[in-house]
Amino acid sequence: MKLNLKYIITVSVLVGMTGCDDKIEPFEITGSTATPVAISASTVQSEALPGEIKLTWTAPQEDFAYMQIRYNDPLQKKDICKLVSKSTTELLVENTRARFGDYSFFFQTFNAVNQGSVVTEVKAKSGAIPSQGKDLPFVQGVWQRVTV
């Protein structure tokens, strides 16, 4: 049995070595490799919703591959990073609180070779969550409007 195991390992190593060659082909880069242009802070609008912040923006006319949006979530006590495609023009940030004041959002565009633009900071406030009362019961994580 030991002899068979040695032959199996030897054959496996030989097959593994012959299956690879030294002709490694590089990946083609698709998309723009020009330096990406930063998004302008004036093109970003925010809307304070109950426990949420809705961010909308106009995408830059210049070409870029994707955009990174970072912010600090004081409720979870950690930094959050969202990646969006170049065709995305809005982001809904859930589980925010008005008591934390301004949230700072940092927008940065990237090209096809992951080169980043200058970071743009935008501040936004969350809307207050309505107090839980008779007219707004909280059922399965969603506020429900009750008509009497």
Side-chain angles (χ1 to χ4, degrees):
M1 184 66 182
K2 281 187 176 183
L3 188 59
N4 288 339
L5 186 60
K6 287 180 185 178
Y7 285 123
I8 291 173
I9 290 174
T10 305
V11 170
S12 297
V13 169
L14 289 174
V15 169
M17 289 174 54
T18 59
C20 299
D21 61 8
D22 59 350
K23 297 176 184 172
I24 299 174
E25 296 178 19
F27 290 105
E28 276 188 37
I29 297 175
T30 57
S32 175
T33 57
T35 304
V37 176
I39 189 168
S40 174
S42 62
T43 64
V44 180
Q45 293 84 33
S46 65
E47 182 181 352
L49 301 172
E52 299 174 334
I53 300 172
K54 182 178 181 180
L55 299 169
T56 55
W57 59 86
T58 305
Q61 295 298 321
E62 294 79 11
D63 195 23
F64 64 95
Y66 64 95
M67 184 163 45
Q68 180 185 69
I69 304 169
R70 292 179 290 116
Y71 66 96
N72 181 274
D73 187 346
L75 193 62
Q76 296 181 25
K77 297 181 179 155
K78 65 180 185 177
D79 291 328
I80 307 294
C81 177
K82 303 281 186 180
L83 297 178
V84 297
S85 69
K86 64 181 179 180
S87 60
T88 304
T89 57
E90 66 179 44
L91 176 69
L92 183 64
V93 181
E94 299 174 324
N95 294 324
T96 59
R97 302 292 184 266
R99 70 175 179 221
F100 294 125
D102 284 341
Y103 282 74
S104 291
F105 294 93
F106 301 96
F107 290 77
Q108 187 176 21
T109 57
F110 289 85
N111 62 11
V113 291
N114 299 321
Q115 179 185 14
S117 69
V118 175
V119 177
T120 303
E121 180 181 6
V122 175
K123 293 187 180 279
K125 291 184 185 270
S126 174
I129 295 177
S131 63
Q132 190 174 356
K134 293 180 183 176
D135 61 337
L136 289 174
F138 194 69
V139 179
Q140 294 181 348
V142 179
W143 293 102
Q144 304 292 324
R145 178 71 60 190
V146 177
T147 53
V148 181

